[in-house]
Amino acid sequence: MKGITKIVMLASAFAINTVQAKPVTINYTVDNTMLHLGLCANTGCTDLTNPTNFSTLFSTGANVSNWQNADSFTLDLAPGTYEFGFVVNNFGIGSTGNPAGLLAEILWDGNINVSSSAWDVTTNGVDFVSATEWARNGTGIWGNKLLGEISSDAKWLWTENNFSDKTENIAAFRTSITVPAPATLGILGLGLFGLGLLRKRSA
């Protein structure tokens, strides 16, 4: 009986140790400024122009006014699916050649989600469409200034019109990641190992 109790305790300790939150890191830069960045609080991650629509709001980094240097934010997230929102304000004279607004990557548990057309964008907080890719990090209009800070697979993003009509100078982007639950095979193996020892002892 004592042996079984010890095994249960060991298995429990192992389970507690494995069900820990995982670090999630967001590396990003914008042209020209990030208005809001955080975890969405509402279903579908809509209407991101209001800070109260974020369950967790991150403070902007030290490089908020310098697109040539990426900022980084790390937080611990338990297993589950999370939606991220980025609200970007792009300054300058509206034109189709104006640089894109957001370049980002999200890293967790050996996975990466980089900014691309798979991310959604809205300019009114309601109607989301696929974001427009303007240039891969390190190529095209932006040169190679951010290679090494953000993955070269990340794309600079903005909207289809790139605010050429001067009405889309603010855009909200959203994307999601799924943090996996810890594997339970270790707990199962430990329990079987303990039962094997008990069986051998009683034989």
Side-chain angles (χ1 to χ4, degrees):
M1 189 66 179
K2 290 183 178 179
I4 295 177
T5 302
K6 288 182 179 180
I7 292 170
V8 172
M9 291 177 64
L10 284 172
S12 298
F14 185 84
I16 291 172
N17 187 51
T18 56
V19 185
Q20 291 181 347
K22 298 180 182 296
V24 176
T25 299
I26 304 97
N27 299 318
Y28 67 93
T29 188
V30 298
D31 181 53
N32 295 91
T33 188
M34 181 78 73
L35 298 183
H36 307 301
L37 161 63
L39 296 178
C40 304
N42 54 62
T43 304
C45 203
T46 58
D47 192 17
L48 296 181
T49 56
N50 190 331
T52 61
N53 289 316
F54 290 88
S55 60
T56 303
L57 192 64
F58 310 149
S59 58
T60 54
N63 299 315
V64 65
S65 60
N66 183 1
W67 66 266
Q68 297 182 11
N69 292 304
D71 278 309
S72 182
F73 192 95
T74 300
L75 70 163
D76 292 327
L77 294 177
T81 298
Y82 299 87
E83 289 186 296
F84 292 81
F86 303 77
V87 183
V88 177
N89 189 1
N90 198 352
F91 303 119
I93 299 174
S95 70
T96 55
N98 192 63
L102 172 67
L103 179 70
E105 66 181 4
I106 304 174
L107 308 168
W108 76 104
D109 199 35
N111 297 290
I112 181 171
N113 180 8
V114 297
S115 49
S116 70
S117 58
W119 293 34
D120 291 335
V121 62
T122 181
T123 55
N124 60 15
V126 178
D127 302 312
F128 279 85
V129 297
S130 295
T132 297
E133 298 176 356
W134 284 90
R136 186 185 297 271
N137 183 23
T139 63
I141 56 178
W142 288 105
N144 60 1
K145 296 180 182 296
L146 288 164
L147 285 176
E149 296 186 58
I150 296 178
S151 169
S152 60
D153 290 328
K155 307 286 184 62
W156 281 97
L157 302 179
W158 196 243
T159 66
E160 182 179 0
N161 296 325
N162 204 28
F163 78 92
S164 58
D165 57 2
K166 299 185 180 182
T167 62
E168 296 185 349
N169 61 321
I170 294 179
F173 299 88
R174 67 182 182 187
T175 188
S176 65
I177 68 168
T178 298
V179 178
T184 57
L185 291 179
I187 300 173
L188 178 60
L190 182 62
L192 292 176
F193 175 73
L195 289 176
L197 288 179
L198 284 178
R199 185 174 182 181
K200 184 177 180 180
R201 181 177 296 179
S202 61

